[in-house]
Amino acid sequence: MPALLPYFALVFNALVWGLSWWPFRQFQEAGLHPLWTTVLLYALSLLVISLSAGRRAWAEFFRHPSLWLILVAAGSTNAAFNWAVSMGDVLRVVLLFYLMPLWAVLLARLLLKEPLRPTTLARIALALGGAAAVLWPEQGGFPLPASAADWLGLLGGLCFALNNVMLRREAARSPQARALAMFGGGVLVAGAVAALMTGSGLMAAPSLPGWLWALPLLLMALVFFLSNLALQYGASRLPANITAIVMLVEVPAAALSALWLGGGVLDTKTAIGGLAILGAAVLAALERQR
């Protein structure tokens, strides 16, 4: 049983993210935009990490500008994904987000000078083919993102890939400093965008119908914090390729919940494209093992 705990931890994390669209939409309907919800959720995690890490981790963070890029990448990932699933077709957003292995290959080539092998190029083609199928317009034409949610899903996956590549590049930094960068990004990036949009009148000021709404918000913050701990626990005890495959549980969790609760639709082209995208993600994990 203890040997299975890392798997259960990763599945828990994937389920939290796969089902997160529903509470984000509930808070949005109550008057709290997903960006403000993101700020509040990560503020708790940042506070806990700050208290446990101490001044040394903060000093390390400020000494290394590369960690600032992780802050921007991690914060942009959370802001884009949470916003996208709150207003768009959840299944489309999650599939476009999981083009992440495609961006990771290109960024690893650019930042880490990793070679592009023939298998890598085939995986890129498979992912691009899947994206084209998902984005293909009903009336025909060129497969481009059709909504702000589509664009945000793509942006979230790109930023997540940048976050992962930078974490590999900065593996010598302490886990505490990297955690501060990631949780700090969830607060600062989402908060900066939300404040800018609220100040310009593009977004309503944050509000909730009553103080009782603070209870589910606090519960959600706790669940997100535990899911991040679960990810760290599982990913540190399993090979990276196994972690990547287990995390794909997020896709069926999001798809089934969206279809059941009215957060998305599944048609033939989306199913075909989704299988291609997931296939590329699995191939990426297997290639990483080799």
Side-chain angles (χ1 to χ4, degrees), residues 114-128:
E114 292 186 359
L116 291 177
R117 292 181 285 269
T119 54
T120 305
L121 296 175
R123 179 158 48 83
I124 291 175
L126 182 61
L128 287 176

Side-chain angles (χ1 to χ4, degrees), residues 49-221:
I49 294 296
S50 297
L51 292 176
S52 60
R55 297 179 181 177
R56 183 176 299 177
W58 276 112
E60 181 182 358
F61 169 78
F62 285 114
R63 281 198 312 270
H64 299 284
S66 55
L67 293 175
W68 307 350
L69 182 55
I70 293 177
L71 180 146
V72 173
S76 300
T77 298
N78 286 286
F81 181 82
N82 295 343
W83 193 357
V85 295
S86 300
M87 64 176 177
D89 185 297
V90 174
L91 183 54
R92 282 172 64 97
V93 168
V94 171
L95 289 176
L96 293 174
F97 181 85
Y98 266 93
L99 285 172
M100 173 190 63
L102 164 64
W103 309 127
V105 166
L106 301 178
L107 289 170
R109 173 61 181 170
L110 178 64
L111 298 176
L112 305 179
K113 309 304 180 185
E114 292 186 359
L116 291 177
R117 292 181 285 269
T119 54
T120 305
L121 296 175
R123 179 158 48 83
I124 291 175
L126 182 61
L128 287 176
V134 171
L135 295 173
W136 202 274
E138 294 290 345
Q139 66 275 16
F142 199 73
L144 289 174
S147 65
D150 287 353
W151 284 108
L152 287 170
L154 286 171
L155 176 63
L158 173 60
C159 292
F160 192 38
L162 176 60
N163 177 76
N164 291 344
V165 170
M166 287 303 300
L167 286 174
R168 285 162 55 191
R169 181 180 174 182
E170 300 303 315
R173 308 292 166 233
S174 71
Q176 293 82 4
R178 285 180 287 155
L180 287 176
M182 295 178 65
F183 288 119
V187 175
L188 296 178
V189 175
V193 176
L196 181 63
M197 295 188 65
T198 301
S200 61
L202 297 176
M203 181 191 299
S207 64
L208 286 173
W211 67 270
L212 286 177
W213 278 86
L215 297 179
L217 186 61
L218 181 61
L219 177 61
M220 188 176 176

